Amino acid sequence: MARIVMKFGGTSVADMDRIRNVARHVKREVDAGHDVAVVVSAMSGKTNELVAWTRDASPMHDAREYDAVVASGEQVTSGLLALALQNIGINARSWQGWQIPIRTDNAHGAARIMEIDGSELIRRFGEGQVAVIAGFQGLGPDNRIATLGRGGSDTSAVAIAAAIKADRCDIYTDVDGVYTTDPRIEPKARRMKKIAFEEMLEMASLGAKVLQVRSVELAMVFKVRTFVRSSFDDPDAPGMGDFLNPPGTLICDEEEILEQEVVTGIAYAKDEAQISLRRLSDRPGVSAAIFGPLAEAHINVDMIVQNISEDGSKTDMTFTVPSGDVDKALKVLGESKDKIGFDVIQNESGLVKVSVIGIGMRSHAGVAASAFRALAEKGINIKAITTSEIKISILIDGAYAELAVRTLHSVYGLDKS
């Protein structure tokens, strides 16, 4: 017998037929003798509807009331799934975030989990009860519901798995695992059997939509073995109940992966924009004057490139932000022009960041050179480059995104089984 957390996303619980299908997945694990906690998202499209209502009620809405409204989507799903489980003979009870409780900070709308007391869930396991938990929510210091931001149900599931010391956390979604790249762009993309936490963290933060970044961070910190699985597979198909190797992709510690590929996957992020500040004075404090106000405005800055003039007196600073934040960033920088001291500000939107990811890059030379050569042969111009131990990110024109992804996927042999 083991302890399992099962998480089901919005498409998996989109209507009552799918909720009944989820109940069959849960019953399979209960029948195998496992203790089971289930974390659910709101029904597909419901959160968007609730958000739209709050904005209609008040464009400058109170974040605490926003949380009270949008958290209701998961509450509905948890109750419906508990009823569906009871209907097939499973002892199940729904739980809201405040009932466990899941304690968060006070950042309503984008709260972070601070602490979870899993003792009552564990006690109920002893009574043979399945806990059906509303994801995406917790209890803030003000004793009000606080939501965790979009994709927060993934984070809820991993955090609960860590709190109750679960043997496994299964994230059920509308895809059957993590692929070497987006199969919609490259049909030869392969589903990976295993991927290391660090690699998944990079892929999630660099554009892969399979898991929320924060959930992967938590899984890595607490070493929660996490499977990405499809809720649309037949719950009773052969192998679905295999405890050690169920269908899907295991996200785990690097030590569990015996044969490490040099490159694991190719990720991409659309709608990037580049901002350049020309002819800055090269003096201490300039970078702080640029990026401090941007941080205060909650603008996420990514790739940063600095070029210093030959005599060392002037410098150009180029960096990327999401395209949706360009106008906001230009306004913030314009207000700080005298303090920063730039001559001209330029921007370009419609760019794409393509990233090559792999733990094996730590011990192999020439990975970057292969990427640059392959892109050059396809006539793709590189606007900016950043690197880390396990990734290379390249900024290019958006029109070349799919060609670049397919080219790099092939160069590193990811299209070969």
Side-chain angles (χ1 to χ4, degrees):
M1 186 176 72
R3 192 170 290 164
I4 298 175
V5 173
M6 307 171 74
K7 183 266 175 180
F8 293 90
T11 53
S12 304
V13 293
D15 53 39
M16 280 311 305
D17 284 340
R18 290 187 180 180
I19 288 174
R20 292 186 188 98
N21 185 62
V22 165
R24 291 175 60 208
H25 280 288
V26 176
K27 185 176 187 300
R28 181 191 64 238
E29 304 297 352
V30 172
D31 288 349
H34 303 312
D35 293 336
V36 178
V38 188
V39 176
V40 291
S41 298
M43 292 171 152
S44 181
K46 182 56 66 177
T47 301
N48 288 339
E49 182 181 34
L50 294 170
V51 169
W53 287 351
T54 63
R55 289 176 177 160
D56 188 26
S58 173
M60 301 297 290
H61 49 256
D62 184 322
R64 289 163 294 188
E65 301 309 331
Y66 168 92
D67 278 354
V69 173
V70 298
S72 66
E74 282 72 16
Q75 180 172 330
V76 170
T77 313
S78 62
L80 290 174
L81 179 56
L83 288 171
L85 286 166
Q86 291 172 9
N87 195 49
I88 57 174
I90 302 293
N91 177 8
R93 183 63 64 204
S94 66
W95 294 73
Q96 311 313 308
W98 60 268
Q99 291 175 302
I100 292 174
I102 299 171
R103 296 283 181 182
T104 73
D105 63 17
N106 210 25
H108 283 277
R112 292 174 73 88
I113 294 172
M114 308 303 290
E115 180 186 12
I116 298 178
D117 182 355
S119 57
E120 183 61 17
L121 292 178
I122 293 170
R123 189 182 75 77
R124 297 290 185 98
F125 289 153
E127 297 176 358
Q129 189 175 97
V130 171
V132 185
I133 302 164
F136 175 62
Q137 61 180 253
L139 185 68
D142 54 2
N143 276 341
R144 297 193 62 88
I145 292 172
T147 63
L148 309 180
R150 300 309 288 262
S153 293
D154 287 349
T155 302
S156 300
V158 175
I160 289 166
I164 65 173
K165 295 181 169 52
D167 298 280
R168 206 175 76 205
C169 179
D170 291 354
I171 307 289
Y172 286 83
T173 180
D174 54 358
V175 296
D176 60 355
V178 182
Y179 281 72
T180 49
T181 196
D182 188 341
R184 293 170 299 180
I185 287 181
E186 176 49 86
K188 294 179 182 177
R190 292 182 294 107
R191 187 180 75 190
M192 291 178 269
K193 192 72 178 170
K194 295 181 180 180
I195 182 172
F197 289 126
E198 286 182 82
E199 293 171 320
M200 190 65 235
L201 184 59
E202 291 286 6
M203 291 192 76
S205 64
L206 293 168
K209 306 296 184 187
V210 179
L211 288 175
Q212 193 220 32
V213 173
R214 179 64 181 145
S215 69
V216 184
E217 289 176 347
L218 283 173
M220 184 164 66
V221 169
F222 293 101
K223 297 195 183 306
V224 176
R225 299 176 84 251
T226 304
F227 277 92
V228 177
R229 307 179 62 175
S230 172
S231 62
F232 301 124
D233 288 342
D234 182 348
D236 301 314
M240 288 296 287
D242 185 335
F243 179 73
L244 293 177
N245 295 294
T249 299
L250 171 63
I251 306 165
C252 58
D253 196 87
E254 182 182 345
E255 294 174 1
E256 283 197 52
I257 303 175
L258 299 179
E259 294 184 22
Q260 188 64 60
E261 302 283 349
V262 177
V263 171
T264 300
I266 311 295
Y268 68 96
K270 294 183 176 180
D271 297 323
E272 295 283 312
Q274 181 174 271
I275 295 176
S276 297
L277 302 176
R278 303 297 186 192
R279 294 181 292 281
L280 294 154
S281 295
D282 187 29
R283 54 181 171 79
V286 169
S287 295
I290 297 169
F291 299 113
L294 292 173
E296 290 170 9
H298 304 290
I299 297 169
N300 184 38
V301 175
D302 187 17
M303 308 173 84
I304 301 173
V305 179
Q306 184 176 12
N307 296 310
I308 300 174
S309 63
E310 191 173 348
D311 64 5
S313 64
K314 296 288 184 180
T315 183
D316 292 340
M317 188 77 75
T318 298
F319 53 90
T320 62
V321 298
S323 288
D325 287 337
V326 170
D327 291 342
K328 187 177 176 183
L330 293 175
K331 183 175 183 291
V332 168
L333 294 168
E335 291 170 350
S336 303
K337 182 176 181 180
D338 291 342
K339 187 175 181 181
I340 298 170
F342 58 85
D343 281 355
V344 177
I345 186 168
Q346 300 170 334
N347 71 92
E348 182 181 4
S349 296
L351 305 178
V352 168
K353 179 176 60 180
V354 180
S355 302
V356 178
I357 299 154
I359 283 179
M361 291 165 60
R362 288 175 178 158
S363 55
H364 286 77
V367 177
S370 297
F372 303 152
R373 188 182 309 113
L375 294 178
E377 288 172 356
K378 298 293 184 180
I380 300 173
N381 186 47
I382 297 172
K383 293 179 175 291
I385 302 163
T386 58
T387 63
S388 75
E389 263 196 323
I390 67 168
K391 80 154 191 289
I392 304 158
S393 290
I394 299 162
L395 191 69
I396 61 173
D397 284 323
Y400 294 102
E402 294 191 10
L403 177 59
V405 168
R406 288 194 296 269
T407 298
L408 295 173
H409 193 265
S410 176
V411 161
Y412 296 112
L414 297 177
D415 51 355
K416 299 187 176 84
S417 58

